[in-house]
Amino acid sequence: MNKLITALLLLPMLTAGQSPLPVQSDILYNVINITENSSAVASFDPVYIPLKGAESVAEAVHNYYKQQHEQLQQAETDIQLIHTKHTGMGWHLYFQQVYKGIAIMGATLKVNINDAGTTLSIFDKLASTENWNTQFVANTYFGKGMWLVVDKRPIAVYQKTLNGNRLITDIEGNVIRQKDTRLYFTKDDTLVAAKVFRPDPLTPISVIAGLNGTYKHFNDSDYALLNDQRVDVSLPVTFNGSVFQLKNKYARIYDTSFKAPNIAPATSATPQFNFTRKQDGFKEVMALYHVTNTQEYLHSLGIDEVKYQLKMDAHSSTSDQSYFEYEGDTTLNFGTGGVPDAEDADVIVHEFTHAVSFSVNPNLNMSTERRAIEEGMCDVMAATYSKKYTAFNWRRIFNWDAPNPFATGVTPFWNGRNANSNKTYDDLSNDAYFSSEIWSSALLDIEEQIGSDSTIILMLASLASYTDNTTMLQAAQLFMQADSVLLNKHFGWKMGSVFNARKLGNFPTGLTDQEQLNQQLIVRNSLAFASGDGNAVLTIPVKADIVVYDLQGRKLFTFGNQQGELTFRTEDFVSGMYIVIVSTPTAQSSLKLMKY
């Protein structure tokens, strides 16, 4: 074994206590030419995949692409399911390509498909295995066998983990790539034990603050009824070689030196951050934990907007006020007046959503109405986050920081906000916080129709189109537009009813229109078309746009603003199956054409 390889294998053992930076090196091959690092080919054109008859959606998708995808027609090539998830949008399926039963590094297929069988998006990184004839000799000593594609040719390699380092070696044991995967004793995030309220001390036990004289704030004391509501969690933090620090890739706790009180961020000599409520470190752990959780939730939806390590001061002032500071140094600041704001995840998630919003669309000079939308959107994030833990009082925002509805004889520090109000656009005022309840209540009405995931996706997708003086009427239109573009108007008729009820527009509900389209959309002469003996005629009851796709998702024909009869000439089609998508402003339907 040469000296370079010996040094690489010894490196983890020599530096484990010295906090080395993660290492990733490509020793023999140019990383640019490796398939693992190439970008996927993305497609958002709908492809219909028949689900009927298959044991599962995954099997149906596998069978479809095995039959239709050029790369999978090649000898001894297949795909294997490695991950599946179902959300409000549908199924999310992730496949690994294999050749001769061995995985090809970086060669994957991600298919997002709705429950009806129409794809939402496709991310294709499948590799061509044409003319491959390389043989693979298993060697368990070197590790798991894999194919590494370099300049379109397969290289037989092995992957194994040694002392926290993932090593890729060639068939002679020479190290090709090395990546440090350790979490402990490095500057990467490492998991520690901690205690937090989740989301606050009240909602998990269905209690209103102060009810019957209990569950009161008691000046931030270690009141047993509150301390007992802390739960054990794991939290990624940083170990710097001597102590654990409250920071990770998403955020870090720091002290704003020019703001009182000046409290140094808590550290720990052991992987334990089990503070009681009275201790300053408890608020810091709360802030880091709930921001981390929210970031990871957004990442699960494919949303990655706050790409920097966010600074957070859990004791920025003694006032009862928290805020996101976007001018200059972007920070989250939590006040300690009244109930300390960082004790309530509603406050933490609300303020963090301001940071997300700023990353999506950094408007600095918002009108009052635009600011009301902003506040309402942050309340929506806080409410849906709280709902993940319990549905009790979930549409009341800041249940602990500002308990509402009030218990008899209890005077809250402030009134909080109600995202279950009956306000409509007619109630719009010059008070952004009062008006925010119009927007938050509308969006949470939608959430109860389509689910949290889809609501958050559409909310942040439409946010990108906002200006600094967008109105709620315009925001509702942009929300509907996001559904049209991203989800093929999947939820439009449900959302239209909600916006109409809140007087945020006059949208067609689409229910009657959808039924009309489905019932009156008729294809005549399809058998003659299929055999090549005649043309197919489509009867369209209302003005609509028609797009014809083949089963590979390629758009073949587009017919705009059609009504009445549309003829498909048999000579314009080769043998195969075709999907015809018919879209109106309020409905969408699809049908199939076959040509033998």
Side-chain angles (χ1 to χ4, degrees):
M1 185 178 294
N2 62 45
K3 292 181 180 179
L4 173 61
I5 298 169
T6 303
L8 287 170
L9 294 177
L10 287 177
L11 181 62
M13 292 175 270
L14 294 174
T15 62
Q18 301 175 19
S19 302
L21 290 172
V23 175
Q24 180 167 326
S25 56
D26 294 281
I27 298 170
L28 299 184
Y29 303 114
N30 183 347
V31 69
I32 296 176
N33 294 325
I34 298 177
T35 294
E36 182 187 10
N37 296 280
S38 63
S39 299
V41 177
S43 172
F44 297 91
D45 289 334
V47 176
Y48 176 72
I49 298 178
L51 302 181
K52 189 175 181 180
E55 292 185 3
S56 65
V57 174
E59 181 187 64
V61 173
H62 170 274
N63 293 344
Y64 173 83
Y65 281 97
K66 182 64 177 169
Q67 296 171 6
Q68 301 295 332
H69 200 292
E70 180 182 1
Q71 313 292 39
L72 299 179
Q73 304 300 308
Q74 295 161 358
E76 300 186 88
T77 304
D78 203 349
I79 50 175
Q80 296 175 348
L81 182 70
I82 56 176
H83 184 260
T84 181
K85 182 178 179 63
H86 187 263
T87 70
M89 293 183 66
W91 290 94
H92 308 273
L93 308 164
Y94 198 39
F95 294 92
Q96 168 72 60
Q97 186 179 6
V98 296
Y99 175 68
K100 296 185 176 179
I102 298 170
I104 304 171
M105 292 183 63
T108 58
L109 178 69
K110 178 68 177 288
V111 180
N112 301 303
I113 184 171
N114 66 23
D115 292 334
T118 300
T119 61
L120 304 172
S121 58
I122 304 162
F123 298 88
D124 184 351
K125 285 186 65 179
L126 298 183
S128 173
T129 59
E130 188 176 10
N131 300 322
W132 283 17
N133 55 14
T134 304
Q135 298 301 312
F136 203 107
V137 179
N139 188 325
T140 56
Y141 176 79
F142 287 143
K144 179 183 178 180
M146 303 187 77
W147 299 109
L148 180 66
V149 183
V150 182
D151 294 328
K152 298 184 179 181
R153 62 189 180 92
I155 305 294
V157 298
Y158 302 96
Q159 174 179 290
K160 69 185 300 185
T161 300
L162 180 65
N163 295 325
N165 284 261
R166 182 175 295 125
L167 302 176
I168 305 296
T169 60
D170 64 17
I171 59 176
E172 296 178 354
N174 297 309
V175 177
I176 298 173
R177 305 188 72 197
Q178 174 180 297
K179 183 176 182 180
D180 190 339
T181 61
R182 293 170 295 169
L183 297 178
Y184 201 84
F185 291 114
T186 76
K187 292 182 180 179
D188 288 341
D189 295 343
T190 183
L191 290 177
V192 299
K195 287 185 179 293
V196 298
F197 293 147
R198 199 167 61 176
D200 59 58
L202 304 181
T203 53
I205 53 175
S206 303
V207 167
I208 296 173
L211 190 64
N212 300 323
T214 60
Y215 294 98
K216 291 184 178 181
H217 171 51
F218 289 121
N219 296 321
D220 204 23
S221 67
D222 280 337
Y223 178 37
L225 285 179
L226 297 178
N227 263 336
D228 290 348
Q229 303 313 314
R230 294 173 302 148
V231 297
D232 295 314
V233 298
S234 295
L235 174 66
V237 302
T238 296
F239 185 71
N240 72 356
S242 59
V243 296
F244 295 88
Q245 299 174 316
L246 289 173
K247 63 180 181 179
N248 56 35
K249 61 184 177 180
Y250 301 126
R252 70 181 178 92
I253 301 299
Y254 90 123
D255 178 55
T256 312
S257 59
F258 57 87
K259 297 177 182 177
N262 296 125
I263 299 173
T267 61
S268 177
T270 64
Q272 302 281 334
F273 283 84
N274 294 338
F275 297 110
T276 64
R277 175 175 177 256
K278 184 177 181 179
Q279 294 174 287
D280 295 325
F282 181 73
K283 290 81 171 170
E284 297 170 358
V285 170
M286 280 283 294
L288 186 61
Y289 175 79
H290 290 295
V291 163
T292 298
N293 264 12
T294 307
Q295 273 276 48
E296 290 180 344
Y297 166 66
L298 292 177
H299 287 176
S300 75
L301 301 181
I303 299 168
D304 184 19
E305 295 296 341
V306 183
K307 299 179 182 295
Y308 55 92
Q309 188 187 57
L310 189 65
K311 293 180 180 179
M312 299 190 295
D313 189 345
H315 325 273
S316 66
S317 73
T318 57
S319 65
D320 191 10
Q321 184 179 41
S322 296
Y323 58 92
F324 169 63
E325 187 171 295
Y326 56 78
E327 290 186 343
D329 195 12
T330 50
T331 59
L332 294 187
N333 299 270
F334 300 98
T336 59
V339 175
D341 288 351
E343 282 191 7
D344 190 336
D346 279 2
V347 181
I348 297 167
V349 174
H350 174 100
E351 297 303 333
F352 173 67
T353 306
H354 282 306
V356 176
S357 174
F358 185 76
S359 295
V360 173
N361 192 340
N363 293 135
L364 302 179
N365 301 304
M366 298 182 189
S367 65
T368 300
E369 189 168 349
R370 169 66 177 86
R371 189 172 297 279
I373 298 171
E374 175 85 1
E375 291 298 322
M377 179 182 64
C378 295
D379 285 351
V380 167
M381 279 290 293
T384 56
Y385 183 82
S386 181
K387 186 182 181 182
K388 293 179 186 300
Y389 296 113
T390 175
F392 174 74
N393 229 10
W394 72 280
R395 290 181 66 158
R396 290 282 181 174
I397 316 299
F398 317 122
N399 292 345
W400 174 229
D401 186 57
N404 195 355
F406 313 135
T408 302
V410 176
T411 302
F413 294 106
W414 68 294
N415 292 337
R417 283 202 286 277
N418 178 17
N420 196 28
S421 77
N422 58 5
K423 293 178 183 176
T424 71
Y425 195 61
D426 289 345
D427 298 307
L428 188 72
S429 76
N430 290 325
D431 183 337
Y433 298 103
F434 176 90
S435 298
S436 70
E437 295 183 351
I438 304 169
W439 189 244
S440 62
S441 297
L443 263 56
L444 291 184
D445 287 348
I446 288 173
E447 188 277 345
E448 297 202 56
Q449 295 281 332
I450 70 175
S452 296
D453 293 352
S454 298
T455 302
I456 299 304
I457 288 171
L458 294 175
M459 181 178 76
L460 295 180
S462 58
L463 169 65
S465 299
Y466 285 8
T467 66
D468 57 3
N469 59 358
T470 294
T471 67
M472 289 189 191
L473 298 177
Q474 294 168 343
Q477 287 182 304
L478 291 172
F479 205 96
M480 296 286 285
Q481 184 185 73
D483 173 68
S484 176
V485 172
L486 296 179
L487 306 179
N488 294 322
K489 304 177 183 176
H490 187 69
F491 297 120
W493 65 276
K494 295 181 179 179
M495 300 190 307
S497 297
V498 170
F499 284 137
N500 291 349
R502 296 283 177 176
K503 299 187 178 179
L504 292 169
N506 186 24
F507 300 101
T509 62
L511 185 59
T512 301
D513 298 329
Q514 186 69 55
E515 291 176 349
Q516 179 188 25
L517 189 62
N518 291 342
Q519 294 173 3
Q520 299 183 26
L521 200 63
I522 301 170
V523 178
R524 293 184 286 107
N525 213 33
S526 58
L527 290 178
F529 175 87
S531 62
D533 296 331
N535 300 327
V537 179
L538 173 64
T539 300
I540 311 164
V542 294
K543 288 186 177 180
D545 295 326
I546 293 88
V547 182
V548 181
Y549 297 89
D550 64 14
L551 285 185
Q552 283 69 50
R554 293 186 291 256
K555 186 184 297 184
L556 303 180
F557 304 103
T558 300
F559 306 92
N561 201 29
Q562 299 290 311
Q563 185 175 8
E565 292 188 348
L566 177 64
T567 299
F568 297 113
R569 301 191 311 164
T570 187
E571 58 263 32
D572 293 335
F573 295 79
V574 299
S575 298
M577 177 77 75
Y578 300 90
I579 306 300
V580 181
I581 305 294
V582 181
S583 303
T584 75
T586 59
Q588 185 179 87
S589 190
S590 63
L591 50 89
K592 292 183 290 186
L593 281 177
M594 173 68 77
K595 174 73 180 291
Y596 299 125

